[in-house]
Amino acid sequence: MVSQAYRAIRNSCRILGANQLSLRSLSSASAVAKKPAHSDASVTKEVGAAGFTSTSPLSASSVLKSSADLLSRCVELPDSTFWLDRVEASLRDIQRPRPPTIAIWGDSKSGATDLVTALLEDPLSDDSQRRTALHGRLDGDSVQQSPLRIRFGADNRRLNNELHLGSPFLQRSGTEIVELNDSDPSNVLPHLLLSDIIVLVTDNVRYLNQPGLLPLLHQFSRHPRAYLFVNRLSSSGSALQEENHIDSTITRLFEDSLQPILHDSYRIKVYSGSSDLAIEAIEIFRDAVNSETSPSSKAAALDTYQAKYLASRLTMLASQISTSIPPALQRHTAEGCPLYQYQSANFLASSALHACEESVASVEMQIAQAQERVEHIKDISDHVAQELHNIPRKAQSPTLSQEASIEQLVRESLQESSQQAEYALQQFSWWKLPWKVDDLQDRMIDAVLDHYAKELERKLLVLSGALVMEQARLWQETKEAVTFPSESVFSSRLLINSLDQMHKEAAHRPQDHISHELTKPIEYRRAQLSNPVASPVSYLYLRAQNLVSSTYIIGFSSVGGAWGAWITDYASTEMALGIGGLGVAGAVRWCVGRWNKTKKRFWADWNRVEEGLERDIKVEFCCTSLARY
């Protein structure tokens, strides 16, 4: 089990080759991104003064293509597919000119919808269709979650997720607005990355705790035209002339809060204002224009409108957005697209490369951790081998200081069985054999069944319990070593499921089954020794019977021959007695020699059976151990 986990993790480390290739591609793509900007002196001067990145069409296209090539070879890296789709979309985007895109994001509680309404509102227009299209643009739950693209158009109509609206702001700035209300950053990030101006909206109640805000701030901290608008949802109750001071204080506090989060290199500009106050001012202006009141009342209402609208500070944000793309960046290149598109493409490419670089660094760290785990698994394997080597010694006696292998355990246990068999065989010495030969087989079989490998069998039962305990203790370490977090490239549910199945199969095997597996060779060899038909004991019994019979025959034949010679006067009495006695002595001497040879043959067969048992026990112990681990 441990060896299978080790091989699976070793195969997973093959991603390291793709990782090294990714690092080389990152270096080459970063070198392209650092090339000088457009050769036009005026463009370089104006763009450089603004602190923007490279706007060269060749540079943007090269970086995007290098990024796409890199991401296509790093499909195993996290989010590589997402960034590959974004890069390919940006490559398609720079193939056709388009107006600047303003992406405004904020959830339903931040007041982002009111901010878009205040920017696009026209106080001088009394067109009810236009007002209905603007204020009812997000009616419906499905519409609120999908991005809405707002373009300038005098017909004030909506077609799917596009709204054509007559708006002075859109006409004056020549831009389009993509309104995003989804609080999940992963859903709005594709639209934000393809936009030229980013406006993130939060409120003065939640500040940086707004869901999804911090990931987007980190993502666009280096964007050349990213803004954070802090929307005051409720009036402070102070005089209008103090609103500017309050907004300045909020802006300064936000900038101080962003510095430790995004560090000193962030370029997001922070603005504070009130969309509610701006809409309220527009309604006051519209009521004053449409009402039949005295000129003095209208003048007072217009003064209130002006004061409230200035206090909302939306004019500062609108002015900054309108002028964020200088005329030099609006020039069309020979490829047909304006330079701000290439600048946005450069930012997307740099974001993709940075994300890929972070993923590569993360994979490198995971590889290092995986290598540590592989070494840990190897240590566990060595520990298991040592434990399996020490289990026989512990089973024999936990207090022994010397190590005992499974072979030594078997030999020491079988030595006692041999002594018991030798003691039983001593009861059948040659001079007792004629009277006890019929009891030889029963006595030897009883000795085998009662004493053969009994101590070894007991120790193997202890070994089976020790194996179960070691398996339960070491399984947890193995499982922890091969379990990786779900986001890791080395996470493998197939490996974990395979290990769980192996563990369940081993756990469902009862300890009695393990004990039987270990003691099965003893039962087989015991039956081999005690078989009354074909075994060393049966051979010993048959040879003993043959020897006794042959001794009787030889002895009686010698006596009979001597008696016949004496009767027929072929031999004297003394000679006949001598011939008979010599024949009987020869028969006994022959019987003793043959009996000793038979016992040597018996012990040779006995030793061969013990050697086979030793091999069987060793093999069965190793197989059972591997099956458990």
Side-chain angles (χ1 to χ4, degrees):
M1 185 179 299
V2 176
S3 60
Q4 292 182 5
Y6 170 74
R7 289 195 298 271
I9 294 181
R10 183 184 59 186
N11 293 334
S12 300
C13 290
R14 294 175 180 173
I15 193 175
L16 180 59
N19 181 23
Q20 301 297 332
L21 183 60
S22 303
L23 289 176
R24 293 196 296 270
S25 300
L26 274 174
S27 302
S28 60
S30 300
V32 174
K34 293 178 181 179
K35 287 183 178 180
H38 197 270
S39 58
D40 193 325
S42 61
V43 175
T44 304
K45 181 177 180 181
E46 189 169 357
V47 173
F52 296 154
T53 57
S54 173
T55 56
S56 170
L58 179 61
S59 175
S61 178
S62 300
V63 172
L64 286 174
K65 291 179 180 179
S66 299
S67 302
D69 180 65
L70 167 65
L71 292 168
S72 64
R73 288 179 287 156
C74 300
V75 292
E76 296 294 335
L77 296 178
D79 299 330
S80 60
T81 304
F82 169 83
W83 285 107
L84 180 60
D85 294 339
R86 302 287 75 75
V87 170
E88 292 177 348
S90 182
L91 278 171
R92 294 190 297 269
D93 181 68
I94 62 176
Q95 301 300 321
R96 54 179 177 81
R98 57 167 176 77
T101 303
I102 305 172
I104 300 179
W105 172 84
D107 61 12
S108 58
K109 299 179 181 179
S110 65
T113 302
D114 294 335
L115 174 62
V116 175
T117 302
L119 288 174
L120 300 180
E121 188 64 274
D122 183 7
L124 300 177
S125 174
D126 57 355
D127 189 347
S128 60
Q129 182 182 358
R130 177 192 175 283
R131 188 176 183 186
T132 301
L134 176 60
H135 289 270
R137 66 188 185 278
L138 297 180
D139 292 343
D141 295 338
S142 60
V143 176
Q144 291 180 5
Q145 297 299 324
S146 59
L148 177 64
R149 183 175 294 274
I150 307 174
R151 295 173 174 173
F152 178 77
D155 49 356
N156 298 319
R157 63 181 178 85
R158 173 164 184 170
L159 181 62
N160 296 328
N161 287 333
E162 289 188 5
L163 175 62
H164 295 264
L165 187 70
S167 169
F169 175 79
L170 295 178
Q171 185 179 18
R172 182 174 60 254
S173 61
T175 59
E176 297 178 351
I177 290 180
V178 177
E179 187 175 3
L180 304 167
N181 297 307
D182 198 327
S183 59
D184 189 355
S186 61
N187 294 335
V188 300
L189 188 57
H191 304 282
L192 292 173
L193 288 170
L194 293 177
S195 302
D196 306 299
I197 302 173
I198 311 296
V199 180
L200 306 178
V201 183
T202 185
D203 56 77
N204 61 330
V205 177
R206 293 176 298 172
Y207 287 96
L208 296 176
N209 295 323
Q210 177 176 316
L213 179 60
L214 281 179
L216 294 179
L217 286 175
H218 282 285
Q219 182 64 50
F220 296 98
S221 61
R222 297 291 298 165
H223 194 279
R225 290 177 295 273
Y227 306 96
L228 176 63
F229 183 75
V230 185
N231 192 13
R232 287 188 287 110
L233 299 180
S234 59
S235 176
S236 61
S238 59
L240 293 178
Q241 58 269 20
E242 296 181 4
E243 296 289 341
N244 288 333
H245 176 70
I246 294 175
D247 287 327
S248 300
T249 303
I250 293 177
T251 301
R252 186 172 61 255
L253 291 175
F254 249 85
E255 290 175 347
D256 295 340
S257 300
L258 289 177
Q259 184 172 359
I261 297 175
L262 305 180
H263 308 294
D264 296 333
S265 60
Y266 77 94
R267 300 169 64 176
I268 296 181
K269 297 180 179 63
V270 182
Y271 291 91
S272 178
S274 176
S275 59
D276 292 340
L277 197 60
I279 294 177
E280 181 183 351
I282 293 173
E283 293 297 331
I284 291 174
F285 179 86
R286 183 176 285 115
D287 292 341
V289 171
N290 297 329
S291 63
E292 300 294 337
T293 58
S294 61
S296 59
S297 299
K298 287 186 177 182
L302 292 177
D303 291 340
T304 304
Y305 155 74
Q306 185 176 7
K308 285 182 175 290
Y309 198 83
L310 290 176
S312 69
R313 294 172 64 90
L314 253 64
T315 54
M316 297 181 60
L317 178 63
S319 176
Q320 180 64 35
I321 291 175
S322 300
T323 59
S324 60
I325 299 180
L329 291 179
Q330 299 181 19
R331 293 178 52 184
H332 286 252
T333 63
E335 287 76 9
C337 292
L339 293 176
Y340 59 79
Q341 284 188 243
Y342 297 109
Q343 187 182 28
S344 301
N346 270 338
F347 173 78
L348 188 146
S350 64
S351 299
L353 291 175
H354 180 67
C356 189
E357 187 175 7
E358 288 184 345
S359 298
V360 169
S362 175
V363 171
E364 284 183 330
M365 184 179 299
Q366 294 178 26
I367 290 175
Q369 294 175 354
Q371 289 175 342
E372 292 179 0
R373 294 194 179 198
V374 168
E375 294 299 328
H376 181 59
I377 292 177
K378 292 173 64 178
D379 294 340
I380 292 177
S381 302
D382 297 338
H383 178 69
V384 169
Q386 185 63 34
E387 287 295 328
L388 294 179
H389 181 73
N390 292 337
I391 280 178
R393 176 178 58 84
K394 295 179 180 179
Q396 186 175 9
S397 177
T399 59
L400 285 180
S401 58
Q402 69 276 14
E403 295 185 357
S405 62
I406 188 69
E407 296 89 345
Q408 293 172 336
L409 180 64
V410 173
R411 294 192 193 103
E412 292 177 1
S413 300
L414 292 181
Q415 187 176 2
E416 299 179 7
S417 302
S418 300
Q419 292 176 355
Q420 294 294 332
E422 186 177 0
Y423 175 75
L425 193 57
Q426 287 177 355
Q427 307 300 318
F428 297 90
S429 55
W430 66 270
W431 57 275
K432 296 181 180 179
L433 196 60
W435 294 275
K436 294 184 176 182
V437 66
D438 293 333
D439 299 332
L440 176 62
Q441 184 172 1
D442 295 336
R443 291 283 186 90
M444 292 302 298
I445 290 177
D446 292 340
V448 170
L449 295 178
D450 294 341
H451 303 287
Y452 184 76
K454 285 294 184 179
E455 183 65 18
L456 175 61
E457 192 172 21
R458 183 191 67 79
K459 292 176 180 179
L460 289 178
L461 293 177
V462 178
L463 283 180
S464 65
L467 285 175
V468 174
M469 294 178 62
E470 287 298 322
Q471 185 267 345
R473 183 175 66 87
L474 296 177
W475 163 252
Q476 188 64 31
E477 297 183 15
T478 306
K479 182 69 176 294
E480 291 176 357
V482 300
T483 302
F484 292 88
S486 58
E487 64 275 7
S488 173
V489 295
F490 295 101
S491 178
S492 174
R493 293 303 308 168
L494 180 62
L495 173 62
I496 299 301
N497 290 336
S498 300
L499 293 177
D500 288 340
Q501 291 177 3
M502 295 172 63
H503 176 60
K504 289 179 180 179
E505 291 176 359
H508 288 165
R509 297 172 62 189
Q511 184 174 347
D512 294 343
H513 179 75
I514 303 173
S515 304
H516 176 70
E517 292 293 329
L518 289 177
T519 58
K520 182 170 61 176
I522 297 179
E523 297 176 0
Y524 173 75
R525 297 298 178 176
R526 186 181 292 158
Q528 185 178 5
L529 287 175
S530 59
N531 190 339
V533 178
S535 67
V537 172
S538 63
Y539 171 79
L540 180 69
Y541 174 63
L542 291 177
R543 291 295 296 173
Q545 284 185 326
N546 291 335
L547 288 176
V548 170
S549 300
S550 298
T551 302
Y552 278 131
I553 292 173
I554 294 173
F556 283 114
S557 297
S558 300
V559 172
W563 180 76
W566 178 71
I567 290 297
T568 57
D569 294 331
Y570 281 102
S572 63
T573 303
E574 292 81 3
M575 182 177 292
L577 291 175
I579 293 173
L582 184 61
V584 171
V588 172
R589 181 70 186 86
W590 175 84
C591 178
V592 172
R594 288 294 179 179
W595 179 237
N596 291 334
K597 289 183 179 181
T598 301
K599 289 193 293 184
K600 289 181 180 179
R601 174 74 178 273
F602 169 77
W603 286 118
D605 294 339
W606 180 281
N607 291 333
R608 281 195 295 270
V609 172
E610 286 189 345
E611 291 174 358
L613 176 62
E614 182 178 328
R615 290 192 302 270
D616 294 344
I617 291 293
K618 182 179 178 181
V619 171
E620 193 62 41
F621 178 78
C622 294
C623 292
T624 304
S625 302
L626 292 175
R628 298 296 295 180
Y629 294 97

